[in-house]
Amino acid sequence: MSSSRFPIPQGTLDMLVLQMLSLGPAHGYGIAQRLHQVSREAVQANQGSLYPALHRLEQKGLLKSDWRESETGREAKFYSLTRAGEKQLAVEKESWNRLTAAVRLIFNEGR
Amino acid sequence: MSSSRFPIPQGTLDMLVLQMLSLGPAHGYGIAQRLHQVSREAVQANQGSLYPALHRLEQKGLLKSDWRESETGREAKFYSLTRAGEKQLAVEKESWNRLTAAVRLIFNEGR
DNA sequence: ATCAGTTACCTCAACCTTCGATGTAATGTA
DNA sequence: TACATTACATCGAAGGTTGAGGTAACTGAT
């Protein structure tokens, strides 16, 4: 409630979704929960961002989906990484690392 | 040329510009140069992103500008941080740190 | 039986930023 | 003369996030 939430920058959500799915298949709602828990409440995936993200990732061939029964016994759409998705995750991690390294340099210059 | 450039995520450029100006006043072109040098060629600010960013930051009252003679003896628009800009920079740094910390958690979970 | 809360999916318009292209103009240099 | 650099600017296209709204089924409590 009170903790000021930072915005998730453009493109970052895709990477986080791919990362979550690298731990195994999950449905949309579950991905949001994983993200929330694993980040210790820091990341709160908006449903209005998450579902479109899943759709475009699937359309790009980075994910595939099928309907299965969820842990609660209800039908849910489970997503899993494709080979291309794994590769893309590696690429985006690498980009992220370069970006954060650059920002670190920028902040540390001129102490 | 060959080094694949990562995109600067939405909102990040503003923070980087503020940070550059926290080192002292500079004109747009100079900010781009500082960014490029300080980041060791990793960040390449697009002029089509940079000038609009400067304009909106000034409009928000985070920067102020005046025309002065540049190092090369030509007229240039020098920007400098306002008090509000300094505060905003602190806020955005804090957000950035929370974001990167969260992403680090997400990546490290499940090694 | 009803009400609230949770699980689980989805869509849409508004907003904002980045990108790449394009344009102007002055200076320096080969 | 011609090209690269400095230095400003604008514009449309593209793309993703947000917040709001909507559907539906299941659970537990009153």
Side-chain angles (χ1 to χ4, degrees):
Chain A
M1 285 284 136
S2 55
S3 73
S4 52
R5 200 79 68 198
F6 48 80
I8 295 178
Q10 193 143 312
T12 308
L13 181 60
D14 288 17
M15 176 181 73
L16 298 182
V17 167
L18 292 175
Q19 172 65 22
M20 286 302 94
L21 290 177
S22 76
L23 307 177
H27 54 263
Y29 198 83
I31 292 173
Q33 284 181 12
R34 282 191 189 177
L35 231 26
H36 190 241
Q37 286 158 10
V38 168
S39 71
R40 297 184 201 159
E41 278 73 41
V43 170
Q44 181 82 31
N46 196 322
Q47 299 204 22
S49 315
L50 180 60
Y51 288 111
L54 289 169
H55 298 159
R56 67 174 174 261
L57 288 171
E58 185 172 24
Q59 216 169 359
K60 286 181 190 165
L62 305 179
L63 306 182
K64 57 182 179 343
S65 68
D66 49 7
W67 289 86
R68 299 187 217 161
E69 200 172 279
S70 80
E71 317 78 34
T72 66
R74 296 171 58 182
E75 285 297 293
K77 203 183 198 173
F78 278 77
Y79 291 92
S80 48
L81 278 188
T82 63
R83 195 79 57 83
E86 289 171 23
K87 281 185 191 165
Q88 182 60 21
L89 175 55
V91 168
E92 294 191 14
K93 263 182 179 171
E94 172 60 21
S95 271
W96 177 260
N97 286 333
R98 279 215 302 284
L99 172 66
T100 53
V103 172
R104 221 171 304 135
L105 276 176
I106 289 167
F107 278 148
N108 284 101
E109 209 73 12
R111 280 154 309 181
Chain B
M1 282 287 135
S2 56
S3 72
S4 53
R5 198 81 68 199
F6 50 78
I8 295 178
Q10 192 143 309
T12 308
L13 181 60
D14 288 17
M15 177 180 73
L16 298 182
V17 167
L18 292 176
Q19 172 66 22
M20 287 300 96
L21 289 177
S22 75
L23 307 177
H27 55 264
Y29 198 83
I31 292 172
Q33 285 181 13
R34 282 191 188 176
L35 232 25
H36 191 241
Q37 287 160 9
V38 167
S39 71
R40 295 184 203 162
E41 279 71 43
V43 170
Q44 181 81 30
N46 197 320
Q47 299 206 38
S49 312
L50 180 60
Y51 288 112
L54 289 169
H55 298 159
R56 67 175 173 260
L57 288 172
E58 185 173 21
Q59 217 169 0
K60 286 180 191 168
L62 304 178
L63 306 181
K64 57 184 180 338
S65 68
D66 49 7
W67 289 87
R68 300 187 216 160
E69 201 172 278
S70 81
E71 318 78 35
T72 66
R74 296 171 57 184
E75 286 296 295
K77 202 183 198 172
F78 278 76
Y79 290 91
S80 48
L81 280 187
T82 62
R83 196 78 57 83
E86 290 170 23
K87 282 185 193 166
Q88 183 59 22
L89 175 55
V91 168
E92 293 191 13
K93 265 183 177 171
E94 173 60 21
S95 271
W96 177 260
N97 286 334
R98 278 215 302 283
L99 172 66
T100 53
V103 172
R104 221 171 305 138
L105 275 176
I106 289 167
F107 279 147
N108 283 99
E109 209 73 11
R111 277 152 311 179

